[in-house]
Amino acid sequence: MTRLFNDPADFADEMVDGFVAANRARVRRVHGGVARSTTSPEGTVALVVGGGSGHYPAFGGLVGHGLAAGAAMGNLFASPSAQQVTAVAKASEHGGGVLLSYGNYAGDVLNFDAAARALEAQGIDVRTVRVTDDVASAPVDQVHQRRGIAGDLCVFKVAGAAAERGDDLDAVTAIAARANDRTRSFGVAFSGCSLPGADEPLFTVPEGRMAIGMGIHGERGIAEADVPTADGLADLLVDKLLTERPDGTGTTTHGTAPDATTTRPGPRVVPILNGLGSVKYEELFVVFGAVQRKLTDAGIVVVEPEVGELVTSFDMAGVSLTLFWLDDELEQLWAAPADAPAYRKGGAVPQQPVPVEVLEAGVVVPVTPGTEESQASAARVASAIAAIRAAIDDHADELGRIDAVAGDGDHGIGMQRGSTAADRAAQDAAARGAGAGSVLAIAGDAWSDKAGGTSGAIWGAALEALGRVLGDDSRPTPATVQRAVHAAAEAVLAFGAVPGDKTMVDALVPFDQVFSARVDAGDELVDAWSAASAAAQTAADATADLLPRMGRARTHGEDAVGTPDAGAISFALITAAVLATIAVPA
């Protein structure tokens, strides 16, 4: 369990502040994460990495010479928002373009892709490499769906070294992609992890048993087995990974290390034995001894291995093994110097500090006043968002419990962060005279920025679409609200989910359909919304019967049947909260 925290909602921000305070010679605080506090030659590529917090030293600990130029750091186990990624990239970029690299999770993909579009619109050249090293998360013929776990380090290290030596953006991207193609990881967990303020871990494992193939966000794994000896665990990890040698690594090759005078027979591999948070280094060393022996017996040359905590899962007790299959260039880049707060290699490299920069933070969002009619509607909108926040606060624990079964356990926390930020932003915008549309758009931006993750991106897009249609000029009619709801539904559907995938869409689409039909039939707004909200609740409850086909819950398969989707349930809760607000006479 997590023992040391203040307000759990502030934990990630306070953690980043403390991390920067302890490492000012290498990193500086920027909106959304950290960037180097040392200079880089003009025109070099900026490698920007990132993901949710709770995985230290990933991702902020890997910012420094020879590694990343910046790290976007979301809340605990939640992807950074598009705004955070964009801000970190702009603070890190110095004329050579930006390579975004991160683990392949739905929320990260949504937000990093949105950031890439925003950066390109501002004239910054952007490329993306998603890390897909976790063999447990999808079969070999669906590699593009695999998660990124400890293999992040391999991709980041060689990409950062290539950028440091002056390679252009296309070359750095190609090297990062090649490293990803040649990296495989597999892990086990002996206990789950607990987030600050939580009474229970995200998942549990019976005493003497271990979860096999777990993820790093509380995903419970794909199987369970008795805890073996250290040698037995090494056998399990190595044997699994050797069944998936990347193309071109299954036969004997010859290579020369940068500091060697003779060729060395055998395929070359960097093994990374990674502790996930609570396994002691001494235990890792015992396991690694067996890993080294097994690889050597298989005719594989071990090159510059790493043993330690490199990509963690908060306080999870677990271990993962990564095999990074080298070629001559990748070996040289792996061996190149690096100097980051949590990862150093090679001799010291003189570096010059940059002047202290304070990026725009806490800037008041400008507001164009709405008409008197729209300002009156904006007050109702702000009240509805306050009711949404209250409903989410009341049900956050239950949403987290549901998500721990059919997802990864952080939905309640993420919805709390987003709705709280949206509420504060909405009240402020309404007080400054914004119209209804602007209040919704500003609230959506705040929700997306603070919640991060998939739900943050989705709710940000939905509120923006609602606001765009409602506008700031007049009091919305039922027909206007009908068009706005449909626009919001279309914005959510654009993320790729369809009914039957066991997502929020399963409740959203029936809501949109029933609301539209009732408005077309001449119902008043309250009556139409009431019928649609009831349809959303029925549909949300029915997701318990569905197999998940998208997101992190997809790996749970049959285990998720019997539990409804947390996103669909929270959507139904929100529609009910809004109904209670609009039912009160103006």
Side-chain angles (χ1 to χ4, degrees), residues 75-115:
N75 224 307
L76 292 173
F77 292 3
S79 73
S81 68
Q83 296 93 325
Q84 289 175 303
V85 178
T86 302
V88 171
K90 290 177 69 176
S92 305
E93 196 269 339
H94 29 261
V98 174
L99 172 61
L100 301 175
S101 191
Y102 52 90
N104 185 38
Y105 297 89
D108 294 283
V109 172
L110 293 176
N111 286 294
F112 275 85
D113 280 358

Side-chain angles (χ1 to χ4, degrees), residues 277-524:
S278 294
V279 175
K280 303 301 295 181
Y281 273 65
E282 290 85 348
E283 296 175 272
L284 294 175
F285 290 134
V286 173
V287 175
F288 184 74
V291 168
Q292 166 100 8
R293 290 191 296 273
K294 280 190 68 69
L295 292 173
T296 301
D297 290 345
I300 294 167
V301 177
V302 172
V303 178
E304 295 196 27
E306 294 285 350
V307 179
E309 292 183 349
L310 298 157
V311 178
T312 60
S313 183
F314 218 66
D315 63 339
M316 182 188 291
V319 176
S320 67
L321 178 65
T322 298
L323 296 184
F324 177 30
W325 299 80
L326 300 171
D327 58 26
D328 289 344
E329 184 179 31
L330 292 176
E331 183 170 358
Q332 292 171 4
L333 293 169
W334 179 255
D339 187 7
Y343 189 87
R344 298 170 196 173
K345 183 186 283 284
V349 178
Q351 299 174 63
Q352 293 295 320
V354 298
V356 176
E357 295 181 35
V358 180
L359 298 184
E360 291 184 346
V363 176
V364 175
V365 178
V367 165
T368 301
T371 64
E372 185 174 340
E373 277 190 332
S374 188
Q375 286 184 20
S377 297
R380 298 297 296 270
V381 168
S383 295
I385 294 174
I388 289 171
R389 174 185 178 178
I392 294 298
D393 283 345
D394 288 344
H395 294 87
D397 289 344
E398 177 63 10
L399 291 173
R401 185 197 66 77
I402 293 171
D403 194 43
V405 176
D408 58 11
D410 66 350
H411 184 76
I413 294 172
M415 292 291 287
Q416 270 191 306
R417 294 172 189 143
S419 60
T420 297
D423 180 29
R424 290 171 178 167
Q427 306 311 314
D428 175 72
R432 290 189 286 128
S438 289
V439 167
L440 283 163
I442 290 169
D445 193 60
W447 191 313
S448 174
D449 188 35
K450 291 301 182 183
T454 307
S455 67
I458 287 172
W459 278 101
L463 292 177
E464 186 279 331
L466 283 169
R468 176 165 28 86
V469 175
L470 292 186
D472 296 324
D473 295 331
S474 59
R475 185 186 301 273
T477 65
T480 307
V481 177
Q482 177 193 42
R483 292 195 301 274
V485 167
H486 188 67
E490 290 294 312
V492 173
L493 288 167
F495 287 102
V498 297
D501 282 345
K502 194 166 184 150
T503 70
M504 167 183 161
V505 164
D506 289 299
L508 170 63
V509 169
F511 179 88
D512 177 35
Q513 292 172 340
V514 171
F515 184 73
S516 181
R518 297 299 292 265
V519 170
D520 286 344
D523 281 10
E524 294 296 327

Side-chain angles (χ1 to χ4, degrees), residues 114-417:
R117 292 191 293 271
L119 292 166
E120 288 168 345
Q122 297 172 50
I124 298 173
D125 205 5
V126 182
R127 303 286 188 278
T128 295
V129 173
R130 299 171 189 146
V131 183
T132 56
D133 59 304
D134 180 16
V135 302
S137 55
V140 69
D141 60 345
Q142 298 174 25
V143 170
H144 64 286
Q145 294 187 2
R146 285 181 169 174
R147 306 176 291 214
I149 51 175
D152 285 356
L153 177 64
C154 306
V155 177
F156 300 166
K157 174 63 180 71
V158 299
E164 211 68 63
R165 73 181 180 185
D167 290 13
D168 65 20
L169 183 56
D170 286 337
V172 174
T173 303
I175 285 166
R178 191 162 88 242
N180 182 56
D181 289 343
R182 298 171 72 94
T183 303
R184 304 286 189 274
S185 300
F186 187 59
V188 301
F190 313 112
S191 71
C193 51
S194 301
L195 300 182
D199 295 328
E200 298 178 353
L202 294 179
F203 70 91
T204 59
V205 182
E207 187 70 27
R209 302 277 286 175
M210 66 180 182
I212 298 173
M214 82 301 139
I216 58 172
H217 299 94
E219 302 97 332
R220 293 170 294 131
I222 58 174
E224 202 176 273
D226 290 338
V227 176
T229 63
D231 285 355
L233 180 58
D235 289 342
L236 172 70
L237 298 175
V238 174
D239 289 346
K240 176 64 175 178
L241 293 180
L242 290 186
T243 64
E244 273 208 29
R245 297 189 186 204
D247 291 343
T249 63
T251 58
T252 298
T253 60
H254 293 274
T256 303
D259 59 348
T261 58
T262 59
T263 58
R264 301 180 302 177
R268 292 158 286 161
V269 164
V270 173
I272 299 175
L273 190 65
N274 177 57
L276 284 156
S278 294
V279 175
K280 303 301 295 181
Y281 273 65
E282 290 85 348
E283 296 175 272
L284 294 175
F285 290 134
V286 173
V287 175
F288 184 74
V291 168
Q292 166 100 8
R293 290 191 296 273
K294 280 190 68 69
L295 292 173
T296 301
D297 290 345
I300 294 167
V301 177
V302 172
V303 178
E304 295 196 27
E306 294 285 350
V307 179
E309 292 183 349
L310 298 157
V311 178
T312 60
S313 183
F314 218 66
D315 63 339
M316 182 188 291
V319 176
S320 67
L321 178 65
T322 298
L323 296 184
F324 177 30
W325 299 80
L326 300 171
D327 58 26
D328 289 344
E329 184 179 31
L330 292 176
E331 183 170 358
Q332 292 171 4
L333 293 169
W334 179 255
D339 187 7
Y343 189 87
R344 298 170 196 173
K345 183 186 283 284
V349 178
Q351 299 174 63
Q352 293 295 320
V354 298
V356 176
E357 295 181 35
V358 180
L359 298 184
E360 291 184 346
V363 176
V364 175
V365 178
V367 165
T368 301
T371 64
E372 185 174 340
E373 277 190 332
S374 188
Q375 286 184 20
S377 297
R380 298 297 296 270
V381 168
S383 295
I385 294 174
I388 289 171
R389 174 185 178 178
I392 294 298
D393 283 345
D394 288 344
H395 294 87
D397 289 344
E398 177 63 10
L399 291 173
R401 185 197 66 77
I402 293 171
D403 194 43
V405 176
D408 58 11
D410 66 350
H411 184 76
I413 294 172
M415 292 291 287
Q416 270 191 306
R417 294 172 189 143

